[in-house]
Amino acid sequence: QMEEFLGPQPEYDEEEEEKKYYRRKKLGVVKNVLGASVGGMIIYSVYMGLLQMQLILHYDETYREVKYGNLGLEDIDKKMLMGINVTPIIALLYTPILIRFLGTKWMMFLASGIYALFVSTNYWERYYTLVPSAVAIGAAIVPLWASLGNYITRMAQQYYEYVNYKDDHVQEQKKLPKGACHRYVIVFQSVIAFCVFMCFPQRIFLHQYLSDYNHTLYNVKHCGAEGSGMIEGFNRTVLKRLPRSLALIQVESVLMGAAFLSMIIFLAVCGAAYRPTEEIDLRSIGWGNIFQLPFKHLRDYRLRLLIPFFIYSGLDTLFSVTGLTLSYGVCTVGLEWLYLLVMVYGLSCSLFSCLSLSLLRLPRYVSLLGGAVIHGPLLVFLLFWSPAPRSPDQLPYLLVVIALWGMGSALNKTGLSILLGMLYEDKERLDFVYTIYHWWQAIAIFIVYLWTGLIMRAKLSILLVILLLSCFCYWTMERRLAKNMLFRLPRIPRPKHKVTYHNLFTFCCFCIFFFKIPFGWREKSKYHISPSLVMR
């Protein structure tokens, strides 16, 4: 009986069980990608929706005077926006350290918690609640998106390992062959772009309180290319009636629940990005090395030549929200149509990000240059288009322009994430590379924050010049890679797991027997002890 129990079982098929095991692993990777995408979509929608609602309410002069009196809410909003836009400038110093020592999954969870903290401060809107939470949001922006890009690329690598589990290099945990997981990077980055770009505006709550365009745009003289700043002459009162405090609390509670839901998704649905031994290896290279490696990666000419595209991506993000949506859209058709403009832009970005799946068959430059081909003519068109204020008949043209701009933005951002996943396949470098990408984006967003008062034609000209420079630098990079020109990658130090105490013990013995430092020894030792014996 014992031999029958310990011997081979006729019903057990080892190969079939192995297939089932790795099938479950692949489904786990898909679950992780969908969880990270849905969590990112929720937290992004909550943040953008709350910020939109908050800035509209705080802009209204009557709302500020009736509800807050002499609190200085307008000044608080300026400092809050400054905290959100200025703080990410120093993110390059701490983001890799946070991702290495907290882990990719826990960094996403922590950043979503900071977004939830930002939502909670709107229950009690004061200087000491709004401004510190805005600074915390600014500090969490780069770590969140860098860890999200790192996580999705790492999931693509894991999926390749589970599909090809029989290969020798996978079983021995060696580096993957060049270009092995590119198709999975393309698919997974397209999935997360499809989810994250869907931004839900606060149409249900705020729309019923907004005045029509005849009131809000009464003193507006110029829109579009002839305008300057946001909207010159925009009315200081935009609300027909003030919302009840209980209704505001209910809306903020719903947003708070959504923020907590994203935290739960990151915590419970998303699995670990690395094995436990890999996590130990990533953290054991030392604080100093982790701090220096982002700067050393900038020696790579591929990253240096992609910096103009990183900057353009950040400029595009904020210009679509402020310049295109406000200076062209709201200035022409009124604030009551803001929800439709934002929704069309979000849905366009979401749907057209699926076009990046064409990279499975086409060269990788198609996505980035395709977005540039769409944005270039649009920028030239916007340089000469100045729609008249209070012209609701221009709404269809505005929706077409915004949808095309969203298509270019989707191809741009998805193409950059895919390109970085293709160029940097080493799992030890992903967090540094994505940190550099989103840090330059944050620098560009800060530049847009500074140029708010510029005339619109100057803004569009800067965007067009940077777009052309980005295309030229990217073409130069691809040409160098086609010539097999070597690029310079910094050496990542080997992890040291051994804690050596014998050197300290030897040094103490040497001091005791030869220099008589401790214990106040006054007499020489009677016995001669050879140094070789002490060292042994």
Side-chain angles (χ1 to χ4, degrees):
Q1 292 178 353
M2 186 64 68
E3 290 178 358
E4 291 178 1
F5 179 74
L6 296 176
Q9 300 295 323
E11 297 91 2
Y12 180 76
D13 188 351
E14 184 178 358
E15 187 175 354
E16 186 63 29
E17 291 297 326
E18 196 175 31
K19 286 182 180 179
K20 289 180 181 179
Y21 172 77
Y22 282 103
R23 191 182 302 128
R24 289 194 298 269
K25 286 289 187 181
K26 288 188 289 184
L27 291 175
V29 170
V30 174
K31 180 257 300 178
N32 294 340
V33 172
L34 292 178
S37 303
V38 173
M41 176 194 70
I42 293 174
I43 204 67
Y44 183 71
S45 302
V46 166
Y47 168 68
M48 291 299 294
L50 178 65
L51 199 61
Q52 171 191 331
M53 182 183 74
Q54 186 185 56
L55 292 178
I56 290 175
L57 290 176
H58 293 181
Y59 178 83
D60 188 83
E61 202 169 33
T62 306
Y63 179 85
R64 292 199 310 269
E65 290 181 358
V66 170
K67 193 166 183 180
Y68 294 97
N70 297 324
L71 185 62
L73 198 61
E74 190 173 9
D75 182 59
I76 292 175
D77 284 345
K78 289 179 181 178
K79 292 180 179 177
M80 186 182 69
L81 288 175
M82 185 181 296
I84 293 175
N85 292 296
V86 174
T87 312
I89 293 177
I90 61 172
L92 191 64
L93 303 178
Y94 61 82
T95 300
I97 297 175
L98 288 178
I99 294 177
R100 282 295 170 104
F101 285 92
L102 291 176
T104 306
K105 171 188 171 179
W106 289 100
M107 188 65 250
M108 294 190 296
F109 172 74
L110 177 64
S112 61
I114 293 175
Y115 276 80
L117 173 67
F118 177 73
V119 178
S120 67
T121 55
N122 284 266
Y123 286 110
W124 186 253
E125 294 177 314
R126 295 293 185 272
Y127 181 88
Y128 53 83
T129 58
L130 290 178
V131 176
S133 65
V135 173
I137 280 283
I141 285 175
V142 174
L144 173 65
W145 296 107
S147 56
L148 201 57
N150 180 11
Y151 188 81
I152 296 301
T153 306
R154 181 60 190 142
M155 287 300 108
Q157 294 174 350
Q158 281 191 2
Y159 197 86
Y160 170 82
E161 292 173 0
Y162 296 146
V163 169
N164 303 277
Y165 63 91
K166 291 185 178 180
D167 294 350
D168 294 336
H169 64 275
V170 174
Q171 292 181 356
E172 296 173 5
Q173 297 184 13
K174 293 182 179 179
K175 288 185 178 181
L176 303 181
K178 189 176 180 180
C181 57
H182 285 183
R183 57 182 304 177
Y184 305 116
V185 171
I186 293 170
V187 174
F188 290 170
Q189 291 288 357
S190 300
V191 168
I192 194 171
F194 175 78
C195 294
V196 168
F197 279 121
M198 292 182 68
C199 178
F200 303 103
Q202 300 299 318
R203 196 267 183 199
I204 298 175
F205 168 72
L206 202 58
H207 184 71
Q208 56 185 328
Y209 298 103
L210 297 176
S211 301
D212 64 352
Y213 65 94
N214 288 317
H215 174 76
T216 55
L217 303 176
Y218 181 75
N219 293 318
V220 176
K221 305 300 182 184
H222 303 288
C223 289
E226 295 182 357
S228 62
M230 291 291 185
I231 305 174
E232 269 188 308
F234 199 65
N235 205 320
R236 300 297 295 176
T237 56
V238 296
L239 301 176
K240 291 186 293 188
R241 62 183 190 278
L242 300 183
R244 297 173 59 190
S245 298
L246 182 61
L248 284 172
I249 292 173
Q250 291 172 349
V251 172
E252 288 163 2
S253 300
V254 172
L255 295 176
M256 191 71 186
F260 275 121
L261 178 62
S262 69
M263 292 178 65
I264 293 171
I265 289 174
F266 282 132
L267 181 63
V269 178
C270 297
Y274 296 92
R275 302 182 184 93
T277 54
E278 291 174 336
E279 290 280 5
I280 295 172
D281 290 346
L282 292 175
R283 297 172 191 174
S284 58
I285 66 174
W287 293 75
N289 288 318
I290 294 176
F291 177 79
Q292 295 173 15
L293 279 170
F295 301 96
K296 291 182 177 179
H297 273 84
L298 288 173
R299 300 171 183 171
D300 186 355
Y301 71 80
R302 298 177 296 176
L303 268 182
R304 290 203 308 271
L305 291 173
L306 284 175
I307 285 175
F309 251 126
F310 297 160
I311 295 175
Y312 179 78
S313 178
L315 298 178
D316 163 35
T317 300
L318 210 56
F319 174 77
S320 59
V321 176
T322 57
L324 190 60
T325 306
L326 295 180
S327 299
Y328 281 88
V330 173
C331 184
T332 304
V333 298
L335 194 61
E336 63 269 29
W337 291 107
L338 176 63
Y339 80 94
L340 185 60
L341 300 174
V342 174
M343 187 167 63
V344 167
Y345 174 73
L347 290 174
S348 173
C349 286
S350 176
L351 294 175
F352 289 115
S353 62
C354 297
L355 293 177
S356 297
L357 294 173
S358 62
L359 299 184
L360 294 170
R361 300 292 181 186
L362 299 175
R364 65 186 177 196
Y365 58 79
V366 170
S367 182
L368 272 179
L369 296 185
V373 166
I374 295 172
H375 275 185
L378 274 178
L379 287 171
V380 175
F381 170 71
L382 292 175
L383 276 169
F384 298 98
W385 188 40
S386 300
R390 300 180 297 280
S391 303
D393 56 319
Q394 299 287 323
L395 182 61
Y397 305 105
L398 283 169
L399 295 179
V400 171
V401 170
I402 289 176
L404 289 174
W405 189 272
M407 183 183 359
S409 299
L411 291 174
N412 184 343
K413 292 179 173 59
T414 314
L416 278 175
S417 298
I418 291 172
L419 183 64
L420 291 178
M422 288 181 171
L423 294 179
Y424 296 90
E425 298 174 313
D426 192 346
K427 60 189 176 185
E428 298 176 343
R429 304 182 186 276
L430 293 177
D431 50 351
F432 300 116
V433 172
Y434 281 102
T435 297
I436 292 169
Y437 166 36
H438 291 289
W439 180 70
W440 279 107
Q441 268 191 334
I443 294 292
I445 290 173
F446 174 66
I447 293 171
V448 177
Y449 171 73
L450 292 179
W451 77 15
T452 305
L454 276 180
I455 59 175
M456 182 55 64
R457 283 198 171 93
K459 299 178 185 178
L460 293 170
S461 301
I462 293 172
L463 275 171
L464 186 58
V465 168
I466 293 179
L467 180 62
L468 295 175
L469 177 64
S470 303
C471 294
F472 174 75
C473 291
Y474 176 67
W475 174 76
T476 305
M477 185 203 75
E478 291 287 359
R479 189 177 177 184
R480 290 186 183 181
L481 289 176
K483 293 180 179 178
N484 295 323
M485 187 178 295
L486 295 178
F487 43 83
R488 187 177 179 183
L489 282 176
R491 186 184 67 85
I492 295 184
R494 282 187 169 185
K496 298 177 181 180
H497 303 303
K498 293 182 180 180
V499 182
T500 57
Y501 295 103
H502 64 276
N503 293 332
L504 180 60
F505 176 76
T506 304
F507 176 75
C508 293
C509 293
F510 186 81
C511 292
I512 290 172
F513 289 104
F514 290 94
F515 296 100
K516 313 180 200 61
I517 292 176
F519 309 116
W521 284 7
R522 298 177 182 176
E523 297 179 1
K524 294 183 178 180
S525 177
K526 185 183 296 184
Y527 304 102
H528 174 72
I529 302 176
S530 64
S532 60
L533 180 60
V534 174
M535 297 304 290
R536 289 197 207 104

